[in-house]
Amino acid sequence: MLKLNNKGFAISTVMYLVLILAIVLFTLTLSVLSNRKNILDKQKEEALNTIYNSN
């Protein structure tokens, strides 16, 4: 097992926190983009239905 002094432990802890934050941010970004795509697809479908039904 690696023996870390306080500074090494603090650095590794910060690195893990940054990694976790990056993963959370990436996941949130993907969910927002996915939700936005679903909304845009729904709006497009509604617009096409309006166009085709008005003829």
Side-chain angles (χ1 to χ4, degrees), residues 1-54:
M1 177 151 176
L2 291 173
K3 195 172 184 184
L4 296 173
N5 58 13
N6 288 340
K7 186 183 280 187
F9 177 75
I11 291 172
S12 64
T13 303
V14 168
M15 284 172 40
Y16 280 119
L17 287 174
V18 168
L19 181 62
I20 290 169
L21 280 171
I23 291 171
V24 168
L25 187 63
F26 181 71
T27 305
L28 286 174
T29 303
L30 283 180
S31 65
V32 166
L33 290 175
S34 176
N35 190 30
R36 180 181 161 97
K37 182 184 180 310
N38 290 340
I39 292 171
L40 291 174
D41 285 347
K42 186 176 178 185
Q43 288 176 342
K44 181 175 75 173
E45 185 178 325
E46 289 174 0
L48 289 174
N49 284 338
T50 303
I51 290 169
Y52 288 126
N53 291 335
S54 66

